[in-house]
Amino acid sequence: MKTTAIAPKERILLIDGLRGFALLGILIAHITYWFNAGPTPDDIFQKYTNDIGFQIAGAFEGIFVSGKFYTFFSFLFGLSFALQMESKSFTIGRFVWRLFILGLIGLAHSLHWRGDILSIYFVVGLVMILFRNASDKVLIIASLLLILNLPIRIRDGYRFFYPTPPPTAQQQKQNEQKNKSYWDTVKKGDYRELITANVPAIADKFDFQFDSGRIYITLGYFLLGLLAGRRKWFAKWEEHRMFFKKWLKISGFATLGIIAVAVPLGIFFGNGEPKPWFNLLMSALYDVHCMLLTIFYIVGVTLLLQKKSWQGALQNFSVIGKMALTSYLSQTLIGIILFYGVGFNLIGEVNPWICLLMTIPVFVVQIIFSRWWLSNYTYGPVEWLWRSLTYLRWQPLKRGDLVAEF
């Protein structure tokens, strides 16, 4: 068995810090409603309807979190792709193989939790490769149109003039029964039943991705991240400080403008059965809102993490970010243990505002674990496995270890 010493590559601490912050947002999005990635029966929410804490938690999650952090994370994935392209050891074949391994990890994750995004990244990552030599202009136009969910805007516009028949009463009843059945599996089922129920949901997940347009939005952020990496916005961020400040103001004020428009529209036209034009308009405004707030988070957190007073936060976020894949998967593990029937079965039993507060101790535990792990090991455990399979040789795990080929 041949062994050679391989030193870990220099990392950009800021990008790791951004990954950590994105994972905090993802944790909030998932933990608030009990890590339930399937539909929730209406009667579950009824006992919380008049609770002010529930309303505040829902408003906070809906305005500031939902739809803003899978986009943030997707942007960073595209940025990582750009950085990998600069490596002398980078080849398209290796990246495709690396994506394939990620897809297998995502498939295993999907069997345990329906909200997995890694299997989506496998598919979207293959499409992103086609844009690797595209001009900056093409990347800007393509990313903007995809982030604004143009394919769905076109489809919804067509449906506005040629509406599809609403689901029949029988179809609605079947959907309700299906939703209730999955809820009961999460709530009462054992491990085998949970896995069995999640197998057909993999196809349902892709249906949702295309029907909602999330898969197009994800690709848009991949391409925007690719552009950012190509232009060295983060590798040489000092040179782009004014650019970041400019977009902080633009995205911040534009976000306030969108809210100022959307709230009165919702008050005056959102009661009762919403009109088709209202649904179209609010859907478009929501996508614009998510885009602007995602940009605001990216540039705002970048500026904050470079301040001396925020260096402690940068260090804490970066240890999570260095183990982003492990941290993402461990969040699911924690969520299943806390909320599912195979664990403490808290799903539906704890007010969402309490779940929101639970983000703090869970994330602190992740920071402590990541600090301990990285003080002893070179990579996170899942990152080590992913990297070893990518290069088909065991990578150094303990600090000072040698690398061994299979």
Side-chain angles (χ1 to χ4, degrees), residues 48-60:
Y48 302 119
T49 301
N50 297 322
D51 184 271
I52 186 64
F54 170 77
Q55 296 171 0
I56 292 174
F60 176 81

Side-chain angles (χ1 to χ4, degrees), residues 21 64-65 68-69 72 293-302:
F21 180 79
F64 297 105
V65 180
K68 287 83 177 177
F69 283 94
F72 197 142
L293 203 49
T294 299
I295 294 173
F296 182 81
Y297 287 153
I298 291 171
V299 297
V301 174
T302 297

Side-chain angles (χ1 to χ4, degrees), residues 276-293:
W277 68 265
F278 176 80
N279 291 334
L280 281 173
L281 178 58
M282 295 302 286
S283 176
L285 287 175
Y286 175 77
D287 286 334
V288 175
H289 165 71
C290 289
M291 176 190 71
L292 292 170
L293 203 49

Side-chain angles (χ1 to χ4, degrees), residues 145-275:
L145 294 179
L146 289 166
I147 287 171
L148 291 176
N149 216 353
L150 181 64
I152 300 303
R153 299 282 80 78
I154 294 173
R155 182 205 66 188
D156 288 349
Y158 176 83
R159 289 181 178 177
F160 180 78
F161 294 101
Y162 303 96
T164 56
T168 63
Q170 183 179 2
Q171 289 173 326
Q172 289 179 337
K173 185 177 180 180
Q174 288 175 344
N175 288 334
E176 291 172 2
Q177 290 174 343
K178 182 180 178 182
N179 297 343
K180 184 66 167 58
S181 175
Y182 180 68
W183 178 268
D184 289 341
T185 299
V186 171
K187 185 79 176 163
K188 305 172 185 177
D190 57 25
Y191 180 74
R192 181 188 60 81
E193 291 171 329
L194 179 64
I195 298 296
T196 302
N198 282 333
V199 171
I202 295 174
D204 293 339
K205 176 177 66 178
F206 277 90
D207 288 341
F208 166 75
Q209 286 284 325
F210 282 103
D211 188 60
S212 65
R214 280 199 171 200
I215 198 164
Y216 308 120
I217 295 172
T218 298
L219 176 58
Y221 280 100
F222 274 23
L223 299 182
L224 186 61
L226 175 58
L227 176 69
R230 182 185 291 178
R231 292 193 170 185
K232 310 290 185 184
W233 287 348
F234 297 90
K236 299 180 180 179
W237 91 274
E238 281 285 0
E239 299 177 9
H240 301 94
R241 183 190 293 268
M242 297 309 299
F243 172 82
F244 279 86
K245 289 185 175 181
K246 173 184 175 182
W247 276 100
L248 182 69
K249 293 179 181 179
I250 292 174
S251 58
F253 285 115
T255 298
L256 293 176
I258 290 292
I259 294 174
V261 171
V263 170
L265 284 173
I267 293 173
F268 288 108
F269 300 103
N271 296 322
E273 185 67 26
K275 302 291 184 182

Side-chain angles (χ1 to χ4, degrees), residues 18-94:
L18 291 172
R19 286 194 189 98
F21 180 79
L23 283 164
L24 173 60
I26 289 172
L27 176 61
I28 294 172
H30 295 158
I31 203 172
T32 302
Y33 296 112
W34 315 293
F35 263 85
N36 179 36
T40 303
D42 293 337
D43 60 307
I44 301 299
F45 287 121
Q46 287 178 0
K47 58 183 176 181
Y48 302 119
T49 301
N50 297 322
D51 184 271
I52 186 64
F54 170 77
Q55 296 171 0
I56 292 174
F60 176 81
E61 196 274 340
I63 295 173
F64 297 105
V65 180
S66 179
K68 287 83 177 177
F69 283 94
Y70 84 89
T71 53
F72 197 142
F73 207 56
S74 299
F75 170 83
L76 295 172
F77 190 90
L79 177 59
S80 296
F81 174 70
L83 297 177
Q84 289 169 359
M85 286 183 64
E86 296 176 354
S87 171
K88 293 180 180 179
S89 63
F90 175 87
T91 63
I92 295 300
R94 176 168 289 168

